[in-house]
Amino acid sequence: MISHDRNFLDAITNRTVEIANGRVYDYKFSYSKYLDHREQELEAQIEAAKAQQKYIKETEILINKFRAKKNKASFAQSLIKKLDKLERIDVDQLDSAAMKFSFPAAPRSGKAVVTGENLSKSYDDLTVFSDIDLLIGRQEKIALVGKNGAGKTTLTKILNNKLDYNGKLNIGHNVDIGYYAQDQTETLDPEKTVFQTIDDEAQGEIRTQLRGLLGTFLFQGEDIDKKVKILSGGEKARLALCKLMLKPYNLLIMDEPTNHLDMRSKDMLKSALNSYDGTLIMVSHDRHFLHELVDTIYEVTPKGLNQHLGDIYEFLAKKKTESIAHFERSKADNAAKKNKESSSNKESYEARKERDKRKRKLSNVISKCQSEIDSTEKKIKEMDVVIAGLDYTEQNKSTKILEEYGVLKNSIGELMGRWEEAEMELDLITASEPN
Ligand SMILES: Nc1ncnc2c1ncn2[C@@H]1O[C@H](COP(=O)(O)OP(=O)(O)O)[C@@H](O)[C@H]1O
Ligand SMILES: [Mg+2]
């Protein structure tokens, strides 16, 4: 599964493979645990690298001090050799490159940016929506949400004058629309290179800074000669965003721009949009992205727009209560269903008993693992001290101790694995429990 969606990955995966810097890193954790682990690993690496740097510096000072002295020259030589042989600790370069950008200042537009009245759209026999009224004022930031196929893309195309429609639509005075299409092939020419795409569009002063601009969107070196048709989804998304920088627009209409962006890029886009002083119409399913970005939510339904003033989480909570209320109503209406339900309740009693039994078992395994890990770690600590003072002339004894030490270290790994497995199963059981 390739995804940037943390909750989604955590729910379904138990192993994470990271590809970075031309290498593959393999972890036997789910996504969130992998992130934590990775962070700790990096911290440890950084510490170790720091200590090593210090050691190198000190040794170099010694070398310089003794090199000139006749009777110490060979000592200096041996230090030099030692440094040469020293394997340098590399700190993994996390792919921390992030696109940092801000949208050009928006020229002032009229106060009413979009006014729509009784808008409707049909494709042949299919009526996508009807009776849409819409009034979007200057500098408002709104989200369009709705089910797959509700007509969000259709509506944004209508606003962009790319589709015919029924009803009245007025785009305000002096409004310049920057459009990010859901399907990039609509706005990017697959045969052009990355550079041509930007070069053909740019006018005026910005033409002198195209390479820098492309660099901001993480296109470097030979990347800019790649043709659009071979770009990855994320690269196309970045190129389409880059294109929006070329002119100052005062209405941005973006149709699911986060689909191919990783978390960092999403954050960067969000902060750029937060400081954007124009008007924004955003189509997105991404609640984290919409949170604290938009102040009004319009839900596209077949019968028009539902307006909700406030944050996306409030909107979703409201939807949930509504759908639960709806569910309760239909439940009450349906007596036949009720019968079925009671039998399924009976079933679930047996299932629940089984589940509880398994849960108790897992909890036991977990606490046993924990206490064994504790005691093993204690033993290892004690042995650390013994090993530090080991007399290697007593070969038999030291070999035995080192072997024992190895066994202890291995058993920690094993215990951790068992603990992890039990935790995971317990998580799964808890998650699948009916509320
Ligand atoms: N060119 C078209 N011809 C016929 N039907 C279309 C066309 N474009 C979209 N549709 C249909 O219109 C509906 C709305 O599509 P769309 O606006 O893309 O939805 P959304 O973006 O909300 O997922 C869908 O049922 C889709 O199949
Ligand atoms: Mg769409």
Side-chain angles (χ1 to χ4, degrees):
M1 179 62 65
I2 301 173
S3 171
H4 296 293
D5 187 323
R6 187 180 190 137
N7 297 341
F8 185 62
L9 286 179
D10 279 342
I12 57 170
T13 66
N14 50 26
R15 177 173 167 187
T16 303
V17 177
E18 174 191 343
I19 306 179
N21 319 307
R23 273 190 58 188
V24 167
Y25 303 83
D26 191 348
Y27 297 88
K28 57 179 181 35
F29 308 120
S30 62
Y31 190 66
S32 289
K33 280 194 191 142
Y34 143 77
L35 284 180
D36 289 347
H37 181 87
R38 195 82 179 94
E39 202 175 315
Q40 283 167 16
E41 197 176 72
L42 270 176
E43 271 167 25
Q45 263 179 7
I46 290 169
E47 282 308 308
K50 252 195 214 154
Q52 194 184 49
Q53 282 305 318
K54 198 172 154 223
Y55 169 76
I56 292 172
K57 233 187 192 156
E58 284 165 2
T59 313
E60 279 169 351
I61 291 172
L62 278 183
I63 292 172
N64 285 332
K65 208 162 135 194
F66 291 128
R67 212 200 303 255
K69 293 192 180 148
K70 237 184 192 162
N71 55 346
K72 299 275 186 185
S74 68
F75 176 59
Q77 280 307 321
S78 79
L79 285 180
I80 290 173
K81 256 192 210 144
K82 215 166 148 190
L83 271 197
D84 279 348
K85 268 199 216 141
L86 187 70
E87 207 170 305
R88 301 297 198 266
I89 297 170
D90 277 334
V91 176
D92 289 339
Q93 287 300 315
L94 265 202
D95 228 338
S96 62
M99 38 176 212
K100 258 206 190 98
F101 63 95
S102 50
F103 289 94
R108 204 174 163 82
S109 68
K111 217 168 178 180
V113 176
V114 176
T115 320
E117 226 176 285
N118 201 15
L119 291 172
S120 65
K121 174 68 191 173
S122 305
Y123 295 108
D124 302 321
D125 293 344
L126 173 80
T127 301
V128 183
F129 51 72
S130 53
D131 208 14
I132 283 195
D133 293 324
L134 190 61
L135 175 63
I136 298 172
R138 186 174 57 217
Q139 292 186 319
E140 273 182 34
K141 288 180 176 155
I142 71 132
L144 286 181
V145 303
K147 295 194 181 94
N148 269 338
K152 304 176 295 291
T153 296
T154 301
L155 182 58
T156 60
K157 281 188 187 163
I158 290 173
L159 299 181
N160 267 295
N161 200 16
K162 287 192 184 321
L163 270 182
D164 56 10
Y165 56 91
N166 291 312
K168 269 206 282 192
L169 174 66
N170 186 42
I171 301 295
H173 179 66
N174 203 23
V175 170
D176 270 319
I177 300 179
Y179 179 46
Y180 181 105
Q182 178 171 17
D183 182 1
Q184 300 304 339
T185 52
E186 284 176 22
T187 51
L188 299 175
D189 180 346
E191 295 302 327
K192 283 188 189 172
T193 67
V194 168
F195 187 77
Q196 281 166 350
T197 304
I198 299 300
D199 190 48
D200 290 354
E201 187 100 350
Q203 276 167 16
E205 210 194 315
I206 188 115
R207 294 196 54 81
T208 60
Q209 306 155 19
L210 295 186
R211 273 165 207 276
L213 182 67
L214 281 165
T216 306
F217 286 86
L218 310 180
F219 292 105
Q220 266 142 5
E222 287 154 27
D223 288 350
I224 66 172
D225 298 322
K226 284 184 185 165
K227 278 197 177 170
V228 166
K229 64 180 173 192
I230 64 156
L231 296 182
S232 75
E235 286 173 322
K236 270 187 227 157
R238 282 192 266 122
L239 183 58
L241 284 175
C242 183
K243 240 177 113 182
L244 288 179
M245 301 295 126
L246 300 175
K247 284 179 206 153
Y249 301 106
N250 49 26
L251 171 58
L252 288 178
I253 301 181
M254 308 185 92
D255 194 352
E256 310 214 16
T258 62
N259 279 358
H260 291 286
L261 295 181
D262 57 49
M263 319 246 191
R264 256 191 306 267
S265 304
K266 265 198 272 195
D267 285 348
M268 291 300 159
L269 175 59
K270 184 165 162 178
S271 82
L273 286 170
N274 271 328
S275 4
Y276 176 59
D277 60 350
T279 309
L280 174 68
I281 298 176
M282 173 64 67
V283 180
S284 175
H285 297 292
D286 189 324
R287 58 187 74 184
H288 299 286
F289 183 70
L290 291 178
H291 175 57
E292 292 182 339
L293 173 64
V294 297
D295 27 48
T296 311
I297 300 183
Y298 288 97
E299 184 186 16
V300 182
T301 79
K303 283 181 261 164
L305 288 183
N306 287 334
Q307 191 195 40
H308 169 85
L309 298 173
D311 191 75
I312 183 75
Y313 285 109
E314 285 164 30
F315 169 78
L316 289 172
K318 201 168 85 182
K319 289 293 288 181
K320 200 169 168 192
T321 5
E322 268 170 18
S323 70
I324 289 171
H326 178 77
F327 176 71
E328 293 295 332
R329 265 200 307 282
S330 61
K331 207 166 76 175
D333 286 349
N334 200 335
K337 231 184 186 173
K338 232 177 180 176
N339 275 334
K340 226 175 165 186
E341 246 167 44
S342 69
S343 71
S344 77
N345 272 344
K346 214 176 192 169
E347 248 175 54
S348 76
Y349 172 74
E350 291 301 319
R352 196 180 310 140
K353 227 169 85 182
E354 255 324 285
R355 213 175 35 238
D356 286 346
K357 206 168 125 195
R358 185 72 193 148
K359 272 168 74 179
R360 273 198 303 277
K361 174 106 194 279
L362 289 169
S363 299
N364 279 338
V365 171
I366 290 169
S367 52
K368 218 167 139 201
C369 283
Q370 283 169 335
S371 69
E372 270 181 56
I373 288 172
D374 278 351
S375 64
T376 313
E377 272 176 346
K378 226 164 120 193
K379 270 190 218 149
I380 288 181
K381 257 201 191 134
E382 285 163 14
M383 285 195 84
D384 278 335
V385 180
V386 176
I387 286 173
L390 213 56
D391 179 2
Y392 286 95
T393 53
E394 293 178 56
Q395 212 185 8
N396 280 343
K397 194 178 157 200
S398 55
T399 314
K400 211 176 135 218
I401 288 177
L402 287 176
E403 262 169 17
E404 238 175 81
Y405 189 72
V407 170
L408 282 178
K409 281 260 175 184
N410 277 342
S411 73
I412 287 256
E414 221 171 85
L415 285 166
M416 288 282 203
R418 254 168 40 209
W419 179 8
E420 172 110 24
E421 251 167 47
E423 284 280 9
M424 216 136 65
E425 196 187 333
L426 193 62
D427 273 358
L428 276 178
I429 293 177
T430 319
S432 66
E433 262 172 27
N435 296 323

